[in-house]
Amino acid sequence: MNKEIKIKAIALDDEPIALDIIKRFAAKVPFIQLEQAFHSAKTANKYLQENEVHLLFLDVRMPDISGIDFYKTMEVKPMVIFSTAYPDYALEGFELEALDYLLKPYSFDRFEKACQRAKEILELKGILDKDQTIYVKDGYKLIKVNLDEVGYIEAVGNYIRFHLPDQEVLARMTIKEFLQENAEHTFIQIHRSFIVNRNHIEKLDRQNLWVFQQELPIGASYAKSVKEVILP
């Protein structure tokens, strides 16, 4: 797959003008995808618990809780860029390993520099190597699934089950939706209830193929296309 790298970001600031500036600046940085902007720490925290976030733009002084305290309480911490009009919080921000500290009012160039630093660090860690990776929901948790390691995917009602060498992961999604979102990957549909990763096919005959030593049926309407793909 050849997807454009995007940093999934959110912003939390009690000042509407400050959020508008972040929205405007983020729209000008091609690799920043600002998913949401929040005035309330409570709603921001709920979003963080249920969604994948790479980067958090976080105000320091807010009426309900300080940005410093808010970040300290987070169980899963994305990279954070603090922003405030008060420079005396900078030291505490950096003690929390903040990526950067933007002193209001800041310029677009200063904002872009902070974003570029986030991109470089996330790429170095491999977090933005999303070409072969997706995150799927399991209740309130997000589970990282490396598509290269998936042998096959099975339809289970309104869900699909990813079969990996050492685990199975259930996600609320249909086979059709998965194929639409991952059309460039090496998956092919062999049956109305199964899609397989071509790189993990061990053998096949007229009516079946094997992945992870598991025998899977080839549907009659898929047989021709399967053979054309596997045996061009």
Side-chain angles (χ1 to χ4, degrees), residues 48-82:
L48 283 160
Q49 290 177 355
E50 299 176 359
N51 297 274
E52 177 194 16
V53 175
H54 300 130
L55 179 63
L56 171 63
F57 297 100
L58 181 58
D59 186 22
V60 173
R61 292 188 65 172
M62 296 180 289
D64 50 349
I65 186 173
S66 77
I68 300 289
D69 290 338
F70 176 77
Y71 194 69
K72 285 179 178 178
T73 63
M74 294 172 59
E75 292 184 11
V76 179
K77 294 179 171 63
M79 299 193 75
V80 63
I81 295 175
F82 285 109

Side-chain angles (χ1 to χ4, degrees), residues 47-148:
Y47 183 90
L48 283 160
Q49 290 177 355
E50 299 176 359
N51 297 274
E52 177 194 16
V53 175
H54 300 130
L55 179 63
L56 171 63
F57 297 100
L58 181 58
D59 186 22
V60 173
R61 292 188 65 172
M62 296 180 289
D64 50 349
I65 186 173
S66 77
I68 300 289
D69 290 338
F70 176 77
Y71 194 69
K72 285 179 178 178
T73 63
M74 294 172 59
E75 292 184 11
V76 179
K77 294 179 171 63
M79 299 193 75
V80 63
I81 295 175
F82 285 109
S83 63
T84 184
Y86 303 93
D88 46 318
Y89 289 99
L91 179 60
E92 192 171 2
F94 282 118
E95 286 177 350
L96 291 175
E97 299 184 351
L99 176 69
D100 211 332
Y101 193 95
L102 298 176
L103 189 61
K104 299 174 182 177
Y106 48 84
S107 66
F108 170 72
D109 287 344
R110 183 68 182 84
F111 177 87
E112 185 181 32
K113 182 178 179 181
C115 293
Q116 184 63 42
R117 184 178 299 173
K119 181 173 180 285
E120 291 170 358
I121 292 175
L122 290 169
E123 285 179 329
L124 188 64
K125 291 181 176 181
I127 294 173
L128 292 186
D129 185 15
K130 304 297 290 179
D131 287 356
Q132 312 298 337
T133 303
I134 63 172
Y135 284 79
V136 298
K137 270 189 178 183
D138 179 11
Y140 289 108
K141 297 179 182 178
L142 286 168
I143 299 177
K144 183 177 180 180
V145 175
N146 186 330
L147 296 181
D148 284 343

Side-chain angles (χ1 to χ4, degrees), residues 146-168:
N146 186 330
L147 296 181
D148 284 343
E149 296 178 356
V150 176
Y152 65 99
I153 299 172
E154 175 186 6
V156 185
N158 293 325
Y159 292 78
I160 57 175
R161 179 177 288 120
F162 295 87
H163 291 263
L164 294 101
D166 57 353
Q167 66 173 327
E168 296 178 358

Side-chain angles (χ1 to χ4, degrees), residues 12-15 63 80-81 106 111 116 135 145 160 162 176 191 195 203 210-211 217:
L12 171 58
D13 197 308
D14 66 304
E15 299 177 1
V80 63
I81 295 175
Y106 48 84
F111 177 87
Q116 184 63 42
Y135 284 79
V145 175
I160 57 175
F162 295 87
K176 182 179 179 181
H191 186 275
I195 55 178
K203 63 179 179 178
W210 284 258
V211 176

Side-chain angles (χ1 to χ4, degrees), residues 27-43:
K28 296 167 66 176
V29 182
F31 53 84
I32 294 291
Q33 184 171 309
L34 189 66
E35 304 278 3
Q36 296 283 344
F38 298 96
H39 299 290
S40 162
K42 183 178 180 180
T43 53

Side-chain angles (χ1 to χ4, degrees), residues 188 198 201 203-206 218 223-232:
I188 57 171
R198 287 177 298 190
I201 296 173
K203 63 179 179 178
L204 76 158
D205 59 25
R206 286 187 173 185
I218 300 174
K224 183 179 178 181
S225 60
V226 169
K227 299 293 172 54
E228 287 176 351
V229 170
I230 298 174
L231 303 170

